[in-house]
mmCIF file of all heavy atoms in Angstrom:
data_model
loop_
_atom_site.group_PDB
_atom_site.id
_atom_site.type_symbol
_atom_site.label_atom_id
_atom_site.label_comp_id
_atom_site.label_asym_id
_atom_site.label_seq_id
_atom_site.Cartn_x
_atom_site.Cartn_y
_atom_site.Cartn_z
ATOM 1 N N ARG I 28 0.824 -1.200 0.000
ATOM 2 C CA ARG I 28 0.000 0.000 0.000
ATOM 3 C C ARG I 28 0.866 1.261 0.000
ATOM 4 O O ARG I 28 0.609 2.218 -0.728
ATOM 5 C CB ARG I 28 -0.928 -0.006 1.215
ATOM 6 C CG ARG I 28 -1.926 1.156 1.199
ATOM 7 C CD ARG I 28 -2.989 1.009 2.270
ATOM 8 N NE ARG I 28 -2.429 1.051 3.601
ATOM 9 C CZ ARG I 28 -2.386 -0.008 4.419
ATOM 10 N NH1 ARG I 28 -2.858 -1.174 4.010
ATOM 11 N NH2 ARG I 28 -1.866 0.096 5.626
ATOM 12 N N ASN I 29 1.915 1.230 0.802
ATOM 13 C CA ASN I 29 2.823 2.383 0.846
ATOM 14 C C ASN I 29 3.541 2.574 -0.483
ATOM 15 O O ASN I 29 3.732 3.697 -0.946
ATOM 16 C CB ASN I 29 3.840 2.195 1.970
ATOM 17 C CG ASN I 29 3.200 2.317 3.341
ATOM 18 O OD1 ASN I 29 2.152 2.937 3.487
ATOM 19 N ND2 ASN I 29 3.818 1.713 4.356
ATOM 20 N N ALA I 30 3.943 1.460 -1.079
ATOM 21 C CA ALA I 30 4.646 1.545 -2.365
ATOM 22 C C ALA I 30 3.736 2.132 -3.439
ATOM 23 O O ALA I 30 4.143 2.999 -4.233
ATOM 24 C CB ALA I 30 5.137 0.162 -2.796
ATOM 25 N N ILE I 31 2.466 1.656 -3.449
ATOM 26 C CA ILE I 31 1.507 2.175 -4.434
ATOM 27 C C ILE I 31 1.261 3.660 -4.200
ATOM 28 O O ILE I 31 1.200 4.457 -5.141
ATOM 29 C CB ILE I 31 0.187 1.385 -4.351
ATOM 30 C CG1 ILE I 31 0.388 -0.044 -4.856
ATOM 31 C CG2 ILE I 31 -0.901 2.077 -5.167
ATOM 32 C CD1 ILE I 31 -0.807 -0.945 -4.618
ATOM 33 N N LEU I 32 1.155 4.076 -2.935
ATOM 34 C CA LEU I 32 0.922 5.476 -2.601
ATOM 35 C C LEU I 32 2.084 6.352 -3.064
ATOM 36 O O LEU I 32 1.888 7.414 -3.661
ATOM 37 C CB LEU I 32 0.721 5.633 -1.090
ATOM 38 C CG LEU I 32 0.511 7.064 -0.576
ATOM 39 C CD1 LEU I 32 -0.751 7.665 -1.161
ATOM 40 C CD2 LEU I 32 0.464 7.070 0.958
ATOM 41 N N ILE I 33 3.305 5.873 -2.803
ATOM 42 C CA ILE I 33 4.497 6.646 -3.179
ATOM 43 C C ILE I 33 4.583 6.813 -4.687
ATOM 44 O O ILE I 33 4.731 7.923 -5.205
ATOM 45 C CB ILE I 33 5.774 5.957 -2.639
ATOM 46 C CG1 ILE I 33 5.806 6.044 -1.111
ATOM 47 C CG2 ILE I 33 7.025 6.609 -3.240
ATOM 48 C CD1 ILE I 33 6.898 5.204 -0.482
ATOM 49 N N PHE I 34 4.461 5.693 -5.397
ATOM 50 C CA PHE I 34 4.629 5.755 -6.844
ATOM 51 C C PHE I 34 3.469 6.467 -7.537
ATOM 52 O O PHE I 34 3.658 7.119 -8.559
ATOM 53 C CB PHE I 34 4.823 4.349 -7.423
ATOM 54 C CG PHE I 34 6.221 3.828 -7.229
ATOM 55 C CD1 PHE I 34 6.497 2.902 -6.242
ATOM 56 C CD2 PHE I 34 7.262 4.308 -8.009
ATOM 57 C CE1 PHE I 34 7.779 2.434 -6.058
ATOM 58 C CE2 PHE I 34 8.555 3.849 -7.825
ATOM 59 C CZ PHE I 34 8.821 2.902 -6.837
ATOM 60 N N THR I 35 2.261 6.364 -6.968
ATOM 61 C CA THR I 35 1.123 7.097 -7.528
ATOM 62 C C THR I 35 1.333 8.600 -7.391
ATOM 63 O O THR I 35 1.115 9.371 -8.343
ATOM 64 C CB THR I 35 -0.181 6.684 -6.829
ATOM 65 O OG1 THR I 35 -0.390 5.280 -7.018
ATOM 66 C CG2 THR I 35 -1.362 7.442 -7.427
ATOM 67 N N SER I 36 1.776 9.030 -6.198
ATOM 68 C CA SER I 36 2.011 10.459 -5.960
ATOM 69 C C SER I 36 3.102 11.001 -6.878
ATOM 70 O O SER I 36 2.972 12.063 -7.488
ATOM 71 C CB SER I 36 2.407 10.687 -4.493
ATOM 72 O OG SER I 36 1.386 10.241 -3.634
ATOM 73 N N ILE I 37 4.189 10.218 -6.972
ATOM 74 C CA ILE I 37 5.302 10.655 -7.824
ATOM 75 C C ILE I 37 4.867 10.721 -9.278
ATOM 76 O O ILE I 37 5.205 11.665 -10.008
ATOM 77 C CB ILE I 37 6.504 9.704 -7.662
ATOM 78 C CG1 ILE I 37 7.102 9.860 -6.259
ATOM 79 C CG2 ILE I 37 7.569 9.989 -8.728
ATOM 80 C CD1 ILE I 37 8.215 8.883 -5.952
ATOM 81 N N THR I 38 4.104 9.718 -9.713
ATOM 82 C CA THR I 38 3.656 9.684 -11.106
ATOM 83 C C THR I 38 2.763 10.872 -11.434
ATOM 84 O O THR I 38 2.887 11.493 -12.489
ATOM 85 C CB THR I 38 2.907 8.373 -11.403
ATOM 86 O OG1 THR I 38 3.776 7.265 -11.129
ATOM 87 C CG2 THR I 38 2.459 8.315 -12.854
ATOM 88 N N VAL I 39 1.833 11.194 -10.510
ATOM 89 C CA VAL I 39 0.944 12.337 -10.719
ATOM 90 C C VAL I 39 1.743 13.624 -10.832
ATOM 91 O O VAL I 39 1.530 14.442 -11.746
ATOM 92 C CB VAL I 39 -0.089 12.441 -9.578
ATOM 93 C CG1 VAL I 39 -0.844 13.759 -9.660
ATOM 94 C CG2 VAL I 39 -1.063 11.276 -9.632
ATOM 95 N N LEU I 40 2.686 13.813 -9.890
ATOM 96 C CA LEU I 40 3.516 15.009 -9.936
ATOM 97 C C LEU I 40 4.361 15.050 -11.205
ATOM 98 O O LEU I 40 4.535 16.103 -11.821
ATOM 99 C CB LEU I 40 4.427 15.068 -8.706
ATOM 100 C CG LEU I 40 3.732 15.340 -7.364
ATOM 101 C CD1 LEU I 40 4.723 15.198 -6.220
ATOM 102 C CD2 LEU I 40 3.113 16.733 -7.351
ATOM 103 N N PHE I 41 4.875 13.890 -11.594
ATOM 104 C CA PHE I 41 5.691 13.806 -12.799
ATOM 105 C C PHE I 41 4.879 14.180 -14.039
ATOM 106 O O PHE I 41 5.326 14.962 -14.876
ATOM 107 C CB PHE I 41 6.250 12.392 -12.935
ATOM 108 C CG PHE I 41 6.887 12.125 -14.267
ATOM 109 C CD1 PHE I 41 8.097 12.712 -14.616
ATOM 110 C CD2 PHE I 41 6.262 11.300 -15.189
ATOM 111 C CE1 PHE I 41 8.678 12.476 -15.848
ATOM 112 C CE2 PHE I 41 6.836 11.057 -16.425
ATOM 113 C CZ PHE I 41 8.048 11.642 -16.752
ATOM 114 N N VAL I 42 3.676 13.626 -14.151
ATOM 115 C CA VAL I 42 2.825 13.905 -15.304
ATOM 116 C C VAL I 42 2.446 15.378 -15.353
ATOM 117 O O VAL I 42 2.494 16.023 -16.415
ATOM 118 C CB VAL I 42 1.557 13.027 -15.282
ATOM 119 C CG1 VAL I 42 0.577 13.470 -16.350
ATOM 120 C CG2 VAL I 42 1.918 11.562 -15.482
ATOM 121 N N MET I 43 2.072 15.933 -14.183
ATOM 122 C CA MET I 43 1.706 17.350 -14.142
ATOM 123 C C MET I 43 2.882 18.230 -14.535
ATOM 124 O O MET I 43 2.733 19.194 -15.305
ATOM 125 C CB MET I 43 1.217 17.715 -12.732
ATOM 126 C CG MET I 43 -0.125 17.097 -12.360
ATOM 127 S SD MET I 43 -0.618 17.495 -10.673
ATOM 128 C CE MET I 43 -0.785 19.270 -10.781
ATOM 129 N N SER I 44 4.061 17.904 -14.027
ATOM 130 C CA SER I 44 5.250 18.688 -14.360
ATOM 131 C C SER I 44 5.568 18.602 -15.844
ATOM 132 O O SER I 44 5.947 19.595 -16.480
ATOM 133 C CB SER I 44 6.451 18.203 -13.542
ATOM 134 O OG SER I 44 6.206 18.345 -12.168
ATOM 135 N N THR I 45 5.428 17.396 -16.397
ATOM 136 C CA THR I 45 5.706 17.196 -17.818
ATOM 137 C C THR I 45 4.741 17.998 -18.677
ATOM 138 O O THR I 45 5.130 18.610 -19.683
ATOM 139 C CB THR I 45 5.618 15.707 -18.189
ATOM 140 O OG1 THR I 45 6.528 14.961 -17.370
ATOM 141 C CG2 THR I 45 5.965 15.487 -19.658
ATOM 142 N N ILE I 46 3.459 18.013 -18.282
ATOM 143 C CA ILE I 46 2.459 18.775 -19.035
ATOM 144 C C ILE I 46 2.785 20.262 -19.010
ATOM 145 O O ILE I 46 2.782 20.937 -20.044
ATOM 146 C CB ILE I 46 1.047 18.529 -18.460
ATOM 147 C CG1 ILE I 46 0.610 17.081 -18.741
ATOM 148 C CG2 ILE I 46 0.035 19.504 -19.066
ATOM 149 C CD1 ILE I 46 -0.674 16.691 -18.058
ATOM 150 N N VAL I 47 3.080 20.780 -17.813
ATOM 151 C CA VAL I 47 3.413 22.201 -17.688
ATOM 152 C C VAL I 47 4.669 22.534 -18.477
ATOM 153 O O VAL I 47 4.736 23.525 -19.213
ATOM 154 C CB VAL I 47 3.600 22.581 -16.201
ATOM 155 C CG1 VAL I 47 4.154 24.002 -16.076
ATOM 156 C CG2 VAL I 47 2.280 22.457 -15.453
ATOM 157 N N SER I 48 5.671 21.673 -18.330
ATOM 158 C CA SER I 48 6.936 21.908 -19.024
ATOM 159 C C SER I 48 6.756 21.870 -20.533
ATOM 160 O O SER I 48 7.290 22.722 -21.253
ATOM 161 C CB SER I 48 7.964 20.863 -18.600
ATOM 162 O OG SER I 48 9.138 20.991 -19.332
ATOM 163 N N THR I 49 5.998 20.891 -21.036
ATOM 164 C CA THR I 49 5.763 20.778 -22.473
ATOM 165 C C THR I 49 4.998 21.987 -22.993
ATOM 166 O O THR I 49 5.315 22.540 -24.056
ATOM 167 C CB THR I 49 4.976 19.500 -22.792
ATOM 168 O OG1 THR I 49 5.694 18.375 -22.282
ATOM 169 C CG2 THR I 49 4.790 19.328 -24.292
ATOM 170 N N TYR I 50 3.981 22.406 -22.231
ATOM 171 C CA TYR I 50 3.184 23.571 -22.619
ATOM 172 C C TYR I 50 4.054 24.821 -22.685
ATOM 173 O O TYR I 50 4.037 25.559 -23.670
ATOM 174 C CB TYR I 50 2.054 23.765 -21.619
ATOM 175 C CG TYR I 50 1.227 25.014 -21.854
ATOM 176 C CD1 TYR I 50 0.214 25.029 -22.806
ATOM 177 C CD2 TYR I 50 1.465 26.175 -21.116
ATOM 178 C CE1 TYR I 50 -0.544 26.171 -23.025
ATOM 179 C CE2 TYR I 50 0.718 27.318 -21.327
ATOM 180 C CZ TYR I 50 -0.288 27.311 -22.280
ATOM 181 O OH TYR I 50 -1.022 28.443 -22.487
ATOM 182 N N GLU I 51 4.839 25.042 -21.626
ATOM 183 C CA GLU I 51 5.695 26.222 -21.590
ATOM 184 C C GLU I 51 6.791 26.129 -22.650
ATOM 185 O O GLU I 51 7.155 27.129 -23.272
ATOM 186 C CB GLU I 51 6.321 26.375 -20.194
ATOM 187 C CG GLU I 51 5.332 26.732 -19.096
ATOM 188 C CD GLU I 51 4.777 28.130 -19.264
ATOM 189 O OE1 GLU I 51 5.375 28.932 -20.000
ATOM 190 O OE2 GLU I 51 3.733 28.423 -18.662
ATOM 191 N N GLY I 52 7.315 24.905 -22.838
ATOM 192 C CA GLY I 52 8.353 24.714 -23.841
ATOM 193 C C GLY I 52 7.851 25.030 -25.230
ATOM 194 O O GLY I 52 8.543 25.662 -26.036
ATOM 195 N N PHE I 53 6.619 24.600 -25.539
ATOM 196 C CA PHE I 53 6.032 24.872 -26.845
ATOM 197 C C PHE I 53 5.892 26.377 -27.058
ATOM 198 O O PHE I 53 6.282 26.907 -28.104
ATOM 199 C CB PHE I 53 4.666 24.203 -26.957
ATOM 200 C CG PHE I 53 3.853 24.680 -28.129
ATOM 201 C CD1 PHE I 53 4.138 24.234 -29.405
ATOM 202 C CD2 PHE I 53 2.827 25.597 -27.949
ATOM 203 C CE1 PHE I 53 3.401 24.676 -30.498
ATOM 204 C CE2 PHE I 53 2.087 26.051 -29.031
ATOM 205 C CZ PHE I 53 2.381 25.582 -30.306
ATOM 206 N N HIS I 54 5.354 27.065 -26.056
ATOM 207 C CA HIS I 54 5.177 28.508 -26.192
ATOM 208 C C HIS I 54 6.515 29.231 -26.243
ATOM 209 O O HIS I 54 6.635 30.268 -26.907
ATOM 210 C CB HIS I 54 4.322 29.047 -25.047
ATOM 211 C CG HIS I 54 2.863 28.814 -25.257
ATOM 212 N ND1 HIS I 54 2.091 29.603 -26.072
ATOM 213 C CD2 HIS I 54 2.030 27.853 -24.783
ATOM 214 C CE1 HIS I 54 0.848 29.155 -26.087
ATOM 215 N NE2 HIS I 54 0.788 28.091 -25.314
ATOM 216 N N TYR I 55 7.501 28.675 -25.560
ATOM 217 C CA TYR I 55 8.815 29.303 -25.602
ATOM 218 C C TYR I 55 9.412 29.232 -27.006
ATOM 219 O O TYR I 55 10.014 30.185 -27.492
ATOM 220 C CB TYR I 55 9.748 28.629 -24.599
ATOM 221 C CG TYR I 55 11.162 29.125 -24.717
ATOM 222 C CD1 TYR I 55 11.465 30.456 -24.467
ATOM 223 C CD2 TYR I 55 12.185 28.275 -25.118
ATOM 224 C CE1 TYR I 55 12.757 30.928 -24.603
ATOM 225 C CE2 TYR I 55 13.471 28.737 -25.254
ATOM 226 C CZ TYR I 55 13.757 30.065 -24.993
ATOM 227 O OH TYR I 55 15.025 30.529 -25.149
ATOM 228 N N THR I 56 9.235 28.091 -27.680
ATOM 229 C CA THR I 56 9.766 27.963 -29.041
ATOM 230 C C THR I 56 9.038 28.874 -30.024
ATOM 231 O O THR I 56 9.525 29.106 -31.131
ATOM 232 C CB THR I 56 9.663 26.515 -29.553
ATOM 233 O OG1 THR I 56 8.285 26.107 -29.582
ATOM 234 C CG2 THR I 56 10.450 25.568 -28.673
ATOM 235 N N GLU I 57 7.860 29.389 -29.644
ATOM 236 C CA GLU I 57 7.118 30.317 -30.496
ATOM 237 C C GLU I 57 7.393 31.777 -30.130
ATOM 238 O O GLU I 57 6.860 32.684 -30.764
ATOM 239 C CB GLU I 57 5.607 30.062 -30.343
ATOM 240 C CG GLU I 57 5.166 28.661 -30.762
ATOM 241 C CD GLU I 57 5.282 28.453 -32.255
ATOM 242 O OE1 GLU I 57 4.549 29.097 -32.999
ATOM 243 O OE2 GLU I 57 6.136 27.649 -32.678
ATOM 244 N N SER I 58 8.211 31.993 -29.119
ATOM 245 C CA SER I 58 8.419 33.350 -28.620
ATOM 246 C C SER I 58 9.434 34.117 -29.448
ATOM 247 O O SER I 58 10.247 33.543 -30.179
ATOM 248 C CB SER I 58 8.892 33.307 -27.156
ATOM 249 O OG SER I 58 10.206 32.777 -27.087
ATOM 250 N N VAL I 59 9.413 35.434 -29.289
ATOM 251 C CA VAL I 59 10.357 36.301 -29.981
ATOM 252 C C VAL I 59 11.774 36.061 -29.472
ATOM 253 O O VAL I 59 12.742 36.053 -30.241
ATOM 254 C CB VAL I 59 9.972 37.780 -29.787
ATOM 255 C CG1 VAL I 59 11.038 38.701 -30.352
ATOM 256 C CG2 VAL I 59 8.626 38.059 -30.453
ATOM 257 N N ALA I 60 11.904 35.836 -28.162
ATOM 258 C CA ALA I 60 13.228 35.594 -27.578
ATOM 259 C C ALA I 60 13.870 34.353 -28.178
ATOM 260 O O ALA I 60 15.061 34.342 -28.496
ATOM 261 C CB ALA I 60 13.107 35.447 -26.062
ATOM 262 N N PHE I 61 13.088 33.296 -28.334
ATOM 263 C CA PHE I 61 13.614 32.055 -28.907
ATOM 264 C C PHE I 61 14.070 32.286 -30.342
ATOM 265 O O PHE I 61 15.154 31.867 -30.749
ATOM 266 C CB PHE I 61 12.542 30.964 -28.863
ATOM 267 C CG PHE I 61 12.997 29.638 -29.427
ATOM 268 C CD1 PHE I 61 13.698 28.750 -28.637
ATOM 269 C CD2 PHE I 61 12.727 29.296 -30.737
ATOM 270 C CE1 PHE I 61 14.122 27.538 -29.149
ATOM 271 C CE2 PHE I 61 13.143 28.095 -31.265
ATOM 272 C CZ PHE I 61 13.850 27.198 -30.462
ATOM 273 N N CYS I 62 13.243 32.970 -31.137
ATOM 274 C CA CYS I 62 13.573 33.201 -32.550
ATOM 275 C C CYS I 62 14.734 34.170 -32.711
ATOM 276 O O CYS I 62 15.602 33.972 -33.567
ATOM 277 C CB CYS I 62 12.351 33.764 -33.288
ATOM 278 S SG CYS I 62 10.924 32.664 -33.329
ATOM 279 N N GLY I 63 14.758 35.221 -31.898
ATOM 280 C CA GLY I 63 15.711 36.291 -32.127
ATOM 281 C C GLY I 63 16.997 36.221 -31.343
ATOM 282 O O GLY I 63 18.038 36.680 -31.820
ATOM 283 N N LYS I 64 16.949 35.652 -30.126
ATOM 284 C CA LYS I 64 18.115 35.705 -29.260
ATOM 285 C C LYS I 64 18.890 34.394 -29.169
ATOM 286 O O LYS I 64 20.113 34.402 -29.011
ATOM 287 C CB LYS I 64 17.700 36.123 -27.837
ATOM 288 C CG LYS I 64 17.207 37.550 -27.734
ATOM 289 C CD LYS I 64 16.879 37.880 -26.289
ATOM 290 C CE LYS I 64 16.408 39.324 -26.138
ATOM 291 N NZ LYS I 64 16.068 39.645 -24.734
ATOM 292 N N LEU I 65 18.189 33.280 -29.230
ATOM 293 C CA LEU I 65 18.857 32.009 -29.005
ATOM 294 C C LEU I 65 19.943 31.762 -30.041
ATOM 295 O O LEU I 65 21.085 31.472 -29.721
ATOM 296 C CB LEU I 65 17.832 30.864 -29.026
ATOM 297 C CG LEU I 65 18.404 29.493 -28.703
ATOM 298 C CD1 LEU I 65 18.998 29.475 -27.310
ATOM 299 C CD2 LEU I 65 17.334 28.422 -28.832
ATOM 300 N N CYS I 66 19.586 31.890 -31.310
ATOM 301 C CA CYS I 66 20.571 31.738 -32.391
ATOM 302 C C CYS I 66 21.090 33.123 -32.770
ATOM 303 O O CYS I 66 20.942 33.567 -33.909
ATOM 304 C CB CYS I 66 19.946 31.036 -33.591
ATOM 305 S SG CYS I 66 19.316 29.386 -33.230
ATOM 306 N N HIS I 67 21.689 33.801 -31.780
ATOM 307 C CA HIS I 67 21.984 35.215 -31.967
ATOM 308 C C HIS I 67 23.011 35.487 -33.061
ATOM 309 O O HIS I 67 22.981 36.531 -33.694
ATOM 310 C CB HIS I 67 22.462 35.826 -30.648
ATOM 311 C CG HIS I 67 23.703 35.202 -30.097
ATOM 312 N ND1 HIS I 67 23.664 34.063 -29.339
ATOM 313 C CD2 HIS I 67 25.013 35.535 -30.207
ATOM 314 C CE1 HIS I 67 24.898 33.727 -28.985
ATOM 315 N NE2 HIS I 67 25.726 34.593 -29.502
ATOM 316 N N LYS I 68 23.903 34.562 -33.315
ATOM 317 C CA LYS I 68 24.896 34.780 -34.375
ATOM 318 C C LYS I 68 24.218 34.926 -35.726
ATOM 319 O O LYS I 68 24.604 35.748 -36.550
ATOM 320 C CB LYS I 68 25.879 33.611 -34.422
ATOM 321 C CG LYS I 68 26.854 33.558 -33.264
ATOM 322 C CD LYS I 68 27.805 32.391 -33.456
ATOM 323 C CE LYS I 68 28.779 32.283 -32.295
ATOM 324 N NZ LYS I 68 29.685 31.118 -32.474
ATOM 325 N N VAL I 69 23.213 34.083 -35.951
ATOM 326 C CA VAL I 69 22.534 34.068 -37.247
ATOM 327 C C VAL I 69 21.418 35.104 -37.306
ATOM 328 O O VAL I 69 21.294 35.864 -38.270
ATOM 329 C CB VAL I 69 21.941 32.668 -37.529
ATOM 330 C CG1 VAL I 69 21.265 32.637 -38.889
ATOM 331 C CG2 VAL I 69 23.026 31.618 -37.447
ATOM 332 N N MET I 70 20.603 35.130 -36.272
ATOM 333 C CA MET I 70 19.370 35.910 -36.319
ATOM 334 C C MET I 70 19.506 37.330 -35.784
ATOM 335 O O MET I 70 18.544 38.090 -35.823
ATOM 336 C CB MET I 70 18.267 35.184 -35.532
ATOM 337 C CG MET I 70 17.897 33.820 -36.078
ATOM 338 S SD MET I 70 17.481 33.843 -37.847
ATOM 339 C CE MET I 70 16.060 34.926 -37.841
ATOM 340 N N ASN I 71 20.675 37.710 -35.306
ATOM 341 C CA ASN I 71 20.821 39.053 -34.745
ATOM 342 C C ASN I 71 20.434 40.158 -35.723
ATOM 343 O O ASN I 71 19.737 41.099 -35.343
ATOM 344 C CB ASN I 71 22.248 39.265 -34.243
ATOM 345 C CG ASN I 71 22.410 40.596 -33.534
ATOM 346 O OD1 ASN I 71 21.684 40.921 -32.611
ATOM 347 N ND2 ASN I 71 23.373 41.388 -33.972
ATOM 348 N N PRO I 72 20.845 40.105 -36.994
ATOM 349 C CA PRO I 72 20.418 41.168 -37.924
ATOM 350 C C PRO I 72 18.900 41.277 -38.036
ATOM 351 O O PRO I 72 18.343 42.380 -37.964
ATOM 352 C CB PRO I 72 21.039 40.730 -39.260
ATOM 353 C CG PRO I 72 22.205 39.905 -38.879
ATOM 354 C CD PRO I 72 21.783 39.173 -37.641
ATOM 355 N N GLU I 73 18.229 40.125 -38.201
ATOM 356 C CA GLU I 73 16.772 40.144 -38.328
ATOM 357 C C GLU I 73 16.109 40.613 -37.033
ATOM 358 O O GLU I 73 15.114 41.338 -37.060
ATOM 359 C CB GLU I 73 16.259 38.746 -38.702
ATOM 360 C CG GLU I 73 16.476 38.366 -40.148
ATOM 361 C CD GLU I 73 17.923 38.044 -40.474
ATOM 362 O OE1 GLU I 73 18.715 37.826 -39.524
ATOM 363 O OE2 GLU I 73 18.274 38.011 -41.660
ATOM 364 N N PHE I 74 16.672 40.208 -35.893
ATOM 365 C CA PHE I 74 16.089 40.564 -34.597
ATOM 366 C C PHE I 74 16.204 42.066 -34.343
ATOM 367 O O PHE I 74 15.252 42.706 -33.901
ATOM 368 C CB PHE I 74 16.784 39.783 -33.481
ATOM 369 C CG PHE I 74 16.223 40.045 -32.115
ATOM 370 C CD1 PHE I 74 14.890 39.773 -31.825
ATOM 371 C CD2 PHE I 74 17.013 40.574 -31.118
ATOM 372 C CE1 PHE I 74 14.366 40.016 -30.565
ATOM 373 C CE2 PHE I 74 16.500 40.824 -29.857
ATOM 374 C CZ PHE I 74 15.178 40.543 -29.577
ATOM 375 N N VAL I 75 17.354 42.639 -34.647
ATOM 376 C CA VAL I 75 17.561 44.087 -34.457
ATOM 377 C C VAL I 75 16.636 44.870 -35.385
ATOM 378 O O VAL I 75 15.986 45.839 -34.967
ATOM 379 C CB VAL I 75 19.034 44.465 -34.705
ATOM 380 C CG1 VAL I 75 19.197 45.988 -34.714
ATOM 381 C CG2 VAL I 75 19.928 43.849 -33.636
#
């Protein structure tokens, strides 16, 4: 019972974290900072 409780709690937290992270990660890849700053050597002219 304790093992099931531990792994259920961890799994729920893991899934929730993954969902939040994936959601934020997706929006981050669509952001201006991602497009303009991350690859700054290449995209700096376009970003400026």
Side-chain angles (χ1 to χ4, degrees):
R28 186 170 64 249
N29 290 337
I31 291 171
L32 178 62
I33 292 171
F34 281 103
T35 300
S36 300
I37 291 175
T38 302
V39 170
L40 290 173
F41 169 71
V42 171
M43 291 177 63
S44 300
T45 303
I46 291 172
V47 171
S48 175
T49 303
Y50 175 81
E51 292 292 342
F53 167 77
H54 280 280
Y55 173 63
T56 61
E57 299 291 293
S58 69
V59 173
F61 180 84
C62 298
K64 292 182 179 179
L65 184 61
C66 300
H67 60 276
K68 288 182 181 179
V69 181
M70 298 307 298
N71 185 54
E73 284 74 16
F74 182 60
V75 171

